[in-house]
Amino acid sequence: MAQQQEITYQLDLFNGQVEEVIRPYATSETVRGAQTIKALQVKEAGEHERALTQNLMGAILCHSNIKQAYRQVKQNKGVAGIDQMAVGDFSAWYAENGETLLSRLYKGTYQPQGVKQVEIPKPNGGKRKLGIPTVTDRIIQQAIAQVLIPIYERKFSDHSYGFRPNRSAHQALRKGSEYAEQGKYFVVDMDLKTFFDVVNHDRLMYRLSLTIGDKTLLGLIRKYLQSGIMVDGVVSQRTEGTPQGSPLSPLLSNIVLDELDKELESRGHKFVRYADDCNIYVRSQAAGERVMESVSNFIESKLKLLVNKDKSQVCEVNQTKFLGYTIQKDGNLSIAKKEHEPL
């Protein structure tokens, strides 16, 4: 059992000039949180699966990873959460409270604060709900994502392009154009209804547990999924969905929808997915209708998500838009016209 904490982990984690450090456990530098453990686990977890992901909290909470997470959150800017702490105030707060925070995270007793709900206008009308975690929770989530992303990148489909390292919307559009050039002039344009609001927590946690063996980390992620939402000063409990706007939500959404990717691959479909936008390319309207029905059934019965039937459609590629562009039958791209204008 680790002894009481001693001064070995950095007091001011984000000031490179400070040499005195505070480490939450007094054992050797290779125990719980050392950079060598992080590098080893992240590298090997993707190769040997769940058995080597049983102590990821050490990798997540190591000095270099927390420091990198802080820098990323600071770079992203953003407003304060429900505790009103600004990003610029976190460094001083952490110098005084970092030991307690890390101890609670290691022990699994940390309780995330609720998220502040805000609404932003959508380009085509309506409003999108975003959940803004506190700065502390944004940094913790960012630290989690930095460790999990390399593990899951080994698993994700080549047909997935959204919110992934070294992948972009332009690459997704190029792949869609290639399918059109191959004669697949029809597209099954799938639209998932309020995806972030209806993700099933139990199913997502099951998918995570297939790869992650660290029970403390799994418990923390579930707490984040269930963290309350503050609206007009009142916090209500979340029972489904993921808080869109948090550093973890893009990764979690890709983990959920990777199951769809693998299903489409097993069926031999030519498709492109960018986050929750999925286009499947086929050679005829009839084939598209069949694919729409069978894939919709899979999404709703197996993934427990909802297909927006009003926005989903089967049509020629040049009669719809994807990521702001319209793919022509010859594979060329044109900027998509607005909703009220005919294509």
Side-chain angles (χ1 to χ4, degrees):
M1 183 175 181
Q3 300 175 5
Q4 186 61 29
Q5 302 169 359
E6 67 175 24
I7 297 180
T8 52
Y9 210 128
Q10 194 167 352
L11 275 170
D12 184 349
L13 188 59
F14 316 111
N15 184 347
Q17 303 302 315
V18 178
E19 296 181 356
E20 187 178 23
V21 294
I22 301 175
R23 178 160 308 160
Y25 293 90
T27 49
S28 72
E29 64 177 4
T30 59
V31 174
R32 308 195 82 172
Q35 176 64 19
T36 52
I37 289 293
K38 176 190 172 184
L40 177 64
Q41 287 187 319
V42 171
K43 179 178 184 295
E44 293 186 346
E47 299 172 356
H48 300 291
E49 298 294 327
R50 192 173 184 274
L52 290 178
T53 59
Q54 293 181 358
N55 183 26
L56 288 180
M57 288 299 289
I60 290 164
L61 300 179
C62 76
H63 163 65
S64 60
N65 195 55
I66 292 290
K67 185 174 182 178
Q68 180 183 345
Y70 169 75
R71 287 175 172 172
Q72 184 61 54
V73 170
K74 190 175 182 180
Q75 180 179 322
N76 293 343
K77 299 180 180 179
V79 301
I82 64 173
D83 64 353
Q84 300 304 312
M85 182 195 295
V87 176
D89 297 333
F90 180 79
S91 180
W93 177 90
Y94 188 87
E96 295 184 7
N97 300 280
E99 282 189 74
T100 301
L101 174 64
L102 292 174
S103 177
R104 289 176 178 173
L105 286 165
Y106 275 124
K107 294 176 182 178
T109 59
Y110 176 76
Q111 185 61 47
Q113 298 187 65
V115 299
K116 180 168 63 177
Q117 181 172 288
V118 297
E119 294 183 343
I120 61 173
K122 292 182 178 181
N124 300 320
K127 292 185 177 181
R128 185 188 309 278
K129 294 180 180 180
L130 295 180
I132 302 177
T134 64
V135 172
T136 301
D137 285 323
R138 293 209 294 271
I139 290 170
I140 296 170
Q141 289 192 42
Q142 179 65 32
I144 294 171
Q146 288 168 182
V147 170
L148 293 187
I149 284 172
I151 294 172
Y152 279 97
E153 274 299 305
R154 299 171 181 267
K155 298 171 170 291
F156 286 156
S157 168
D158 287 339
H159 297 84
S160 166
Y161 294 88
F163 307 113
R164 295 182 58 190
N166 304 314
R167 286 177 169 257
S168 67
H170 291 296
Q171 292 173 335
L173 288 165
R174 275 202 300 271
K175 180 56 68 174
S177 295
E178 289 178 14
Y179 292 144
E181 290 176 344
Q182 295 169 8
K184 297 182 181 297
Y185 299 141
F186 292 83
V187 61
V188 181
D189 186 359
M190 308 288 299
D191 185 274
L192 299 182
K193 189 174 183 179
T194 56
F195 171 79
F196 286 95
D197 295 333
V198 299
V199 170
N200 183 279
H201 287 175
D202 290 337
R203 181 160 186 80
L204 173 54
M205 292 307 304
Y206 168 72
R207 299 294 301 174
L208 288 167
S209 71
L210 295 178
T211 298
I212 299 172
D214 191 320
K215 293 182 179 179
T216 302
L217 175 56
L218 290 172
L220 179 59
I221 293 175
R222 181 177 279 278
K223 287 178 181 178
Y224 276 122
L225 290 174
Q226 296 177 337
S227 59
I229 306 171
M230 176 177 281
V231 181
D232 297 328
V234 179
V235 177
S236 58
Q237 190 67 29
R238 181 190 300 271
T239 58
E240 62 181 5
T242 65
Q244 186 175 6
S246 73
L248 262 181
S249 60
L251 174 62
L252 295 180
S253 67
N254 273 330
I255 291 172
V256 170
L257 292 175
D258 185 63
E259 193 171 1
L260 172 62
D261 297 341
K262 296 301 192 291
E263 177 67 16
L264 295 179
E265 287 175 351
S266 71
R267 299 184 185 189
H269 289 309
K270 305 297 183 183
F271 70 98
V272 177
R273 183 177 66 78
Y274 190 96
D276 56 348
D277 289 333
C278 184
N279 280 1
I280 307 169
Y281 298 85
V282 296
R283 293 188 180 276
S284 69
Q285 181 76 22
E289 298 290 350
R290 290 193 299 270
V291 170
M292 173 68 81
E293 181 178 2
S294 63
V295 173
S296 295
N297 288 337
F298 175 82
I299 290 172
E300 295 190 341
S301 63
K302 187 72 179 292
L303 302 187
K304 308 300 181 184
L305 299 173
L306 298 176
V307 176
N308 190 332
K309 294 180 172 57
D310 293 332
K311 294 186 177 180
S312 298
Q313 61 177 330
V314 178
C315 62
E316 295 184 348
V317 292
N318 59 358
Q319 296 300 309
T320 188
K321 63 181 181 179
F322 182 49
L323 302 176
Y325 288 83
T326 296
I327 299 174
Q328 305 299 328
K329 290 185 177 181
D330 61 2
N332 288 325
L333 296 174
S334 61
I335 297 176
K337 295 182 179 181
K338 296 181 179 179
E339 290 278 324
H340 61 273
E341 295 179 329
L343 291 174

